[in-house]
Amino acid sequence: MKIKYTISSGISIVTVFIMACSLIACKKFLDKKPDEKLVVISSVKDMQALLDDYNKMNYNDQAVTEICSDNFYLADATFNARKETDRNLYTWSAVNVFDAQLNAWADTYNTIYQANLVIDRSEALSGQINDETSLASIRAQALFHRGREFLNAVTVWAKDYNPLTASVDLGIPLPVEPDFNIPSKRSNLEESYNQIIKDLSNAAGGLPLQTSTPFRPSKAAAFGLLARACLYKKDYIRAELYADSCLKIKSTLMDYNLLNASANFPIAQLNTEVIFESKMIPASQILQSRAYINPELYGLYADSDLRKTIFFKAGALDFIFKGNYEGGDTFFNGIATDEILLIRAECAARNGKLNIAVSDVNLLRKSRIKSAVFAALNPASTADALTIIKRERRMEFPLRGLRWMDIKRWNAEGDGIILTRKHNSITYTLQPNDLRYAIALPEDIVYLSGMTQNPR
């Protein structure tokens, strides 16, 4: 079957049923015909339009890693009002945590499909379009988006990376073609990370140092994502190098002393720290009107810590979050300098470079603590430095989608973080290294594709 590549005459969106087919290779989808109103992708402009589709490429990320983490809780009344799948995901159920068809899996792989479509067309049109520079840029942008979504998928549906077992641990499907006739199958975790790093490395080679807008990927953004991926892969040497490369391009921090803590949303969208702009889909469980901040998290902030009043405000029952890097109530999960600085700090500590680790932590804290009382920290050992860095990551990234992987990887090292929620007199607990840290795949995907479900 020969595929006809198309975009709409508007902003560029591939029809939903085609993308659904790419995920599950199901005959009932393949029998459908493309919309005759769509037009053939035939130019650099068409491909760039696909990549500039903000709702698909920048505002379509899974919120699973935030829903399942320990940054917030729901009141009983709110919990009881949620549909079953929402309650199940929030309480780490072993099954039935996603609705059929319209879910985080579909959102993730629809974006991957769109990236693959652009990669495929950029290669097919190479001999027809006399603009290799633009084609190379298009391909690099698409590789960035594909690598980023593969990494998002790994954080949800795979275990923490263990170099001793990664070659047999279940990874994710890694479609690299837009052919929805190819059945989906899971790779192992080693292959998954190798593909992520390959995509992002190739993207970095073709992207500009920075772009005119963080809505488009840059070399700095690719280095930042590579740092995140290598951190999760426990490749601390390369993670430090990539973080350093990113910060050499962009390293600016906001001074929280200059922000208006009384504002409803004190931190602006596209602020000076943002390297790449992306957002999580605003899942019902984490909306500001419903999610209350975990008291254990709130209790970490000293009164001299500006994050205490910039990130949080009193709600009806408890404190709620207002520190989104979006100037509103949507949830930033992109690449920003604060994250990359703490990646470099953590990896430097693990690599025996205590002075760099301490310097980076103090640089961040100086921009977060009231100027009149700021005092530099001076940990005496690597262990002390890592304790401080872990605490700073905990306080710096509430509702940024990063906590889930921190829990997984630190529990693998023995930190013993236990997650607990209590509703209607029932206590739900997730023990360290539980199999449920690899979230169950949607049942309809398993049924239609034959892919192996995550062990429960």
Side-chain angles (χ1 to χ4, degrees), residues 18-159:
I18 292 180
M19 288 184 278
C21 296
S22 75
L23 306 181
I24 59 179
C26 181
K27 185 178 185 300
K28 67 180 180 180
F29 286 114
L30 295 177
D31 288 341
K32 293 180 180 288
K33 302 299 182 184
D35 189 332
E36 295 299 329
K37 296 179 181 178
L38 302 181
V39 298
V40 175
I41 300 171
S42 59
S43 68
V44 169
K45 182 179 179 181
D46 289 341
M47 290 181 282
Q48 188 65 65
L50 283 168
L51 296 175
D52 288 342
D53 183 350
Y54 179 80
N55 287 331
K56 180 59 60 63
M57 309 308 287
N58 299 79
Y59 192 10
N60 199 45
D61 287 353
Q62 53 81 19
V64 176
T65 49
E66 194 55 56
I67 294 166
C68 293
S69 74
D70 57 351
N71 287 323
F72 76 101
Y73 71 94
L74 301 176
D76 276 351
T78 303
F79 174 79
N80 294 335
R82 306 276 63 75
K83 60 186 177 182
E84 181 182 5
T85 50
D86 285 352
R87 296 195 305 270
N88 286 348
L89 182 60
Y90 167 77
T91 55
W92 317 293
S93 175
V95 297
N96 193 31
V97 296
F98 296 111
D99 295 329
Q101 297 183 23
L102 299 177
N103 52 50
W105 181 278
D107 293 331
T108 299
Y109 279 92
N110 285 347
T111 302
I112 291 168
Y113 174 87
Q114 191 141 312
N116 279 336
L117 182 61
V118 171
I119 292 168
D120 186 84
R121 290 307 292 157
S122 69
E123 294 172 349
L125 294 172
S126 178
Q128 303 174 34
I129 297 176
N130 187 25
D131 190 353
E132 290 299 326
T133 299
S134 294
L135 285 173
S137 172
I138 289 291
R139 187 171 187 275
Q141 292 176 60
L143 284 169
F144 173 90
H145 286 293
R146 187 173 75 185
R148 188 175 71 87
E149 290 304 324
F150 282 155
L151 182 58
N152 282 339
V154 160
T155 64
V156 177
W157 290 289
K159 297 168 55 177

Side-chain angles (χ1 to χ4, degrees), residues 54-306:
Y54 179 80
N55 287 331
K56 180 59 60 63
M57 309 308 287
N58 299 79
Y59 192 10
N60 199 45
D61 287 353
Q62 53 81 19
V64 176
T65 49
E66 194 55 56
I67 294 166
C68 293
S69 74
D70 57 351
N71 287 323
F72 76 101
Y73 71 94
L74 301 176
D76 276 351
T78 303
F79 174 79
N80 294 335
R82 306 276 63 75
K83 60 186 177 182
E84 181 182 5
T85 50
D86 285 352
R87 296 195 305 270
N88 286 348
L89 182 60
Y90 167 77
T91 55
W92 317 293
S93 175
V95 297
N96 193 31
V97 296
F98 296 111
D99 295 329
Q101 297 183 23
L102 299 177
N103 52 50
W105 181 278
D107 293 331
T108 299
Y109 279 92
N110 285 347
T111 302
I112 291 168
Y113 174 87
Q114 191 141 312
N116 279 336
L117 182 61
V118 171
I119 292 168
D120 186 84
R121 290 307 292 157
S122 69
E123 294 172 349
L125 294 172
S126 178
Q128 303 174 34
I129 297 176
N130 187 25
D131 190 353
E132 290 299 326
T133 299
S134 294
L135 285 173
S137 172
I138 289 291
R139 187 171 187 275
Q141 292 176 60
L143 284 169
F144 173 90
H145 286 293
R146 187 173 75 185
R148 188 175 71 87
E149 290 304 324
F150 282 155
L151 182 58
N152 282 339
V154 160
T155 64
V156 177
W157 290 289
K159 297 168 55 177
D160 174 65
Y161 180 89
N162 181 339
L164 300 179
T165 61
S167 63
V168 294
D169 288 337
L170 287 170
I172 57 170
L174 297 170
V176 294
E177 298 179 25
D179 187 345
F180 48 80
N181 291 295
I182 301 174
S184 299
K185 63 178 182 178
R186 298 185 73 169
S187 62
N188 63 50
L189 194 52
E190 187 71 47
E191 293 167 337
S192 299
Y193 271 99
N194 287 345
Q195 185 65 51
I196 291 164
I197 292 170
K198 178 182 177 182
D199 279 354
L200 295 174
S201 297
N202 288 337
L207 292 170
L209 291 178
Q210 296 189 70
T211 55
S212 58
T213 170
F215 293 123
R216 287 184 179 177
S218 63
K219 195 181 296 291
F223 286 152
L225 266 183
L226 281 163
R228 186 190 288 179
C230 288
L231 177 72
Y232 293 169
K233 194 173 182 284
K234 299 179 172 63
D235 186 347
Y236 301 122
I237 292 176
R238 284 207 293 171
E240 182 186 353
L241 290 172
Y242 282 127
D244 187 65
S245 295
C246 176
L247 292 169
K248 284 180 178 176
I249 301 171
K250 183 175 175 64
S251 60
T252 310
L253 292 172
M254 284 181 286
D255 184 351
Y256 279 24
N257 286 279
L258 304 178
L259 298 181
N260 178 12
S262 64
N264 287 333
F265 297 100
I267 304 176
Q269 186 184 40
L270 306 183
N271 62 72
T272 189
E273 292 186 9
V274 174
I275 300 170
F276 178 76
E277 159 74 6
S278 65
K279 296 193 288 189
M280 293 179 280
I281 294 173
S284 66
Q285 301 95 318
I286 61 175
L287 297 179
Q288 188 190 63
S289 59
R290 296 170 181 159
Y292 289 107
I293 294 301
N294 182 344
E296 180 272 333
L297 170 59
Y298 185 78
L300 294 177
Y301 301 87
D303 289 342
S304 60
D305 193 324
L306 293 160

Side-chain angles (χ1 to χ4, degrees), residues 299-318:
L300 294 177
Y301 301 87
D303 289 342
S304 60
D305 193 324
L306 293 160
R307 290 172 292 196
K308 190 170 187 176
T309 52
I310 287 172
F311 284 177
F312 311 112
K313 68 178 180 180
L317 300 177
D318 211 333

